[in-house]
Amino acid sequence: MADLAPLILSKLSHTFDGTPILNGVNLRVEAGEFVALLGPSGCGKTTLLRAIAGLVTPRLGSISIDGNCVVEDGAERLPCEQRGVGLVFQEYALFPNLTVAENVGYGLSTGDTARVNGLLELVGMTELAHRMPAQLSGGQQQRVALARALAPRPALLLLDEPFANVDAALRDSLGRMLRRVVRDEGASVLMVTHDQRSALGLADRVVVLGAEPTGGEIIQDDLPAQVYRCPASKGVARLTGPCMLIEGVATGEKASTALGMIPLIDDHTGEVVVTLRPEQLRFTPAEAGTCTVEDAQFAGSVHHLRCSSPAGLLEVVVPSGEDTPSIGTVGQIEILEAAWALPVTLIERW
């Protein structure tokens, strides 16, 4: 019996002009699941997305969509137009000579106005149905592109950096709209992005693709909170948000570091690198302290402090309602919760 998961990648590998791009990628997206593929530039994210869509034929491995094998070991089994995939590009790629409504209905049977009108209402574009793409803002064009991709009810929706060309102020509202729309449509989603905030905030699961010399490969595949709190490598830690990596020696549930003894989430023995996020730290003024505030920046609800310490520069978050230490204030850094540690054997991996 065929596995009807919307997407299954098995041992997918690809090279281009002798350069490794992807290396043995295994990935599965379940029905109704929203998966974010996160990774640095050059790790093969876009190539992977284009391979699923049928725009690139990978040299090794297989891709199955909705129970159908569409490519296997360099042989295309099903052309892109028959794969049941919706694709939203970062450039939107709307037809400039068609209205909003005509763009959304482009891939539908003539006269299916109910589906077009329903999607326009879902993305909040009903009143702009007769406008041309050039008359729309970037955020509005993104909404139209999403509605057009969903119109044929694809088995899988692929999003390529959907917020790359949208102002930062609009990303949160567009992200909430995207999550609501795909949930209401029951769509399965694979979103490629380098934006850690979008990946962690929108996805049910985050897959991190690392840039290895042998080609991009999956470094971590887990719930967003787990990827953030317990990164599988130094590269994942840095990719998922501000962090400090501090060398130490672990003896069970604690590690001895330049900041003192730090409690650990898991027991370790030997040399480790402790991962600390700004919100895990607290700065307390103290005349005999070993840390000094070097910079303080206001960021709305919080202040960001940069403090010199025996372990190097540390970033600390202070709520705006609290007294903010001035530059030059001497004090101590307190660790508020157990930290995640990586054995040194994993540090050189991306």
Side-chain angles (χ1 to χ4, degrees), residues 41 88 132 159 172 205 247 259 286:
S41 297
V88 178
M132 307 301 288
L159 306 174
D172 286 347
R205 208 170 92 233
E247 295 179 357
L259 287 179

Side-chain angles (χ1 to χ4, degrees), residues 80-135:
C80 56
E81 66 272 13
Q82 296 178 23
R83 294 190 180 187
V85 168
L87 182 57
V88 178
F89 297 95
Q90 58 179 293
E91 300 88 1
Y92 316 131
L94 299 178
F95 300 112
N97 59 324
L98 300 181
T99 66
V100 166
E102 289 168 341
N103 263 282
V104 174
Y106 181 79
L108 298 176
S109 302
T110 303
D112 196 355
T113 56
R115 177 64 174 162
V116 172
N117 291 338
L119 284 168
L120 288 176
E121 182 177 358
L122 199 59
V123 299
M125 293 294 291
T126 301
E127 295 181 0
L128 304 180
H130 300 294
R131 287 197 182 178
M132 307 301 288
Q135 298 174 297

Side-chain angles (χ1 to χ4, degrees), residues 20 29 31 47 67 110 154 166 175 200 208 241 243 255 258 263 285 290 296 300 307:
V29 177
T47 298
T110 303
V166 177
L200 297 174
V208 182
C243 69
T290 58
C307 305

